[in-house]
Amino acid sequence: MTSALVPTMGYLHEGHRSLLRIAKKKADKVVLTIFVNPTQFGPNEDFKKYPRNTAKDLALAKEAGVDLVFLPTSHTMYPEGYETFVEVTQAIQGLCGRSRPSHFRGVATIVLKFFNLVQPDYAIFGKKDYQQFGVIKKMVADLNLPIQIIGAPTVREPSGLAMSSRNVYLDDAERKAALSLSEGLFHVRHEINRGQKNISKLLREFKKGLAKNFLIRLDYVACVDAESIQPLRDYKRGRTLFAVAAFVGKTRLIDNVVL
Ligand code: AMP
């Protein structure tokens, strides 16, 4: 019997559902974890107000055919005296790792703990959080974990906006402003498909496009190697991750395309 794990922070949406669908196809049993992991939030981030709706999540899990939902408390995962953390050292260097210094240490730690508790054959991660996907793949390879990591494509709203539990924070004007992230990325993809290979130019143009929008404050936009998550100077076909993080109002959103 095989099992697949889908780790989440809950407030489930179609993006999560797509991961569950992949899990269901891959393995006999599907395990879903719902845990807003305190160690991956910085001191001034939204841990306390992160959206939660357990009843709705459980209904979605049931409908999606999940076999087991694990909803631990913080105390269960980090009892008094907890002191062990996992650090991936290179793949965390740029992008979100730079803006959120201890974020991936928290992510790698909680994911490894879930891997040890569940011992799944497969674990599914969304490519919306592309660096996270890269960090987990690296951890699994480096620590010889017998788990196959599967990356799932980003699920978007019809408008193009990448689905995220945090989208619930956005008011109407912000939601509209947020579209310039996905639209900018689609434009970049279009340019690459037309033969443009000058990454610096594309990055410059992307920044210029966002600067027009007063509701948006860019955190970063960068191109890295999609495998190693290391800086990339020249376009590499199929391996160029073009990633953005920006505050739309007070909400930090991320999105990316692989070119
Ligand atoms: P979260 O609950 O936001 O921590 O996400 C849990 C898992 O769902 C992670 O592997 C995410 O990458 C994935 N995920 C979140 N949003 C999306 C999306 N729009 N499309 C695909 N996967 C997603």
Side-chain angles (χ1 to χ4, degrees), residues 187-205 235-236 240 259:
H187 177 71
V188 167
R189 189 167 58 196
H190 178 71
E191 288 297 300
I192 289 277
N193 290 342
R194 281 184 44 197
Q196 175 62 265
K197 297 286 179 294
N198 185 337
I199 287 177
S200 316
K201 181 161 187 267
L202 291 171
L203 287 167
R204 259 195 324 272
E205 282 177 7
Y235 171 71
K236 259 199 229 165
T240 304
L259 304 167

Side-chain angles (χ1 to χ4, degrees), residues 23-37:
K24 195 93 190 137
K25 262 198 209 136
K26 271 278 168 194
D28 303 320
K29 298 285 177 192
V30 175
V31 178
L32 167 70
T33 60
I34 299 176
F35 181 57
V36 184
N37 174 33

